[in-house]
Structure formats: C-alpha cells, structure tokens
C-alpha cells in the first residue's frame, strides 16, 4: 500500500556500512583496474563493500528486492 511505501522511504538505505562517516563516497580510477571486470555493490549489504560479494542475492530473496552491482569493465 502507499502507506507502506512511505514508511520504507523514511528508512536509511545503508543499514551498517561505515556509519561513522558523514557521507560514504568511493572513487574508481578506471585506467588502474587490473581485472577486466569489477563488480561494485549497490545493495549496501556486501561484506567487501564497495565491492560486490554476492550478498544482493540473499537480500533479493529475503525482501523481493531486485538490486544488483555496478559492473565496471576495463576498456580493451
Ligand atoms: Fe551488494 Fe552485490 S553484494 S550488489
């Protein structure tokens, strides 16, 4: 219902990651990527944040959410 949506909108999206920081920001220098593909977490559940560790799969199953990583690919 609309009231449920509003209640959820008032919740932090980040439950636990680096809460001591005023704002969590990460930078990526693409030219320095050593691997051809790197997955960055956007669900805020990863144990290796900001990298994706696959925790979004469990989160999606538990909540019906559909979040996944940002894939950064090294240009050939
Ligand atoms: Fe968060 Fe994969 S663990 S997007």
């Amino acid at each position: 219902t609309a009231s449920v949506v509003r209640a959820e909108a008032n919740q932090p999206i980040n439950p636990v990651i680096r809460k001591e920081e005023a704002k969590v920001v990460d930078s990526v220098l693409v030219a320095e990527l050593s691997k051809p593909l790197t997955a960055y977490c956007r669900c805020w559940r990863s144990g290796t944040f900001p990298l994706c560790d696959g925790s979004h799969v469990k989160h999606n199953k538990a909540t019906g959410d559909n979040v996944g990583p940002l894939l950064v690919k090294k240009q050939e």
Side-chain angles (χ1 to χ4, degrees), residues 20-76:
E20 71 281 7
E21 299 180 21
K23 178 169 63 178
V24 180
V25 178
D26 297 290
S27 300
V28 178
L29 295 177
V30 175
E32 294 182 1
L33 291 177
S34 57
K35 298 187 293 183
L37 176 69
T38 304
Y40 291 90
C41 176
R42 295 188 298 178
C43 75
W44 294 78
R45 268 70 179 176
S46 176
T48 58
F49 193 87
L51 300 179
C52 169
D53 70 353
S55 294
H56 59 267
V57 175
K58 181 180 175 186
H59 166 75
N60 286 344
K61 281 183 182 171
T63 65
D65 212 341
N66 64 345
V67 295
L70 167 68
L71 301 180
V72 177
K73 298 177 182 178
K74 186 177 183 180
Q75 191 168 15
E76 297 295 326

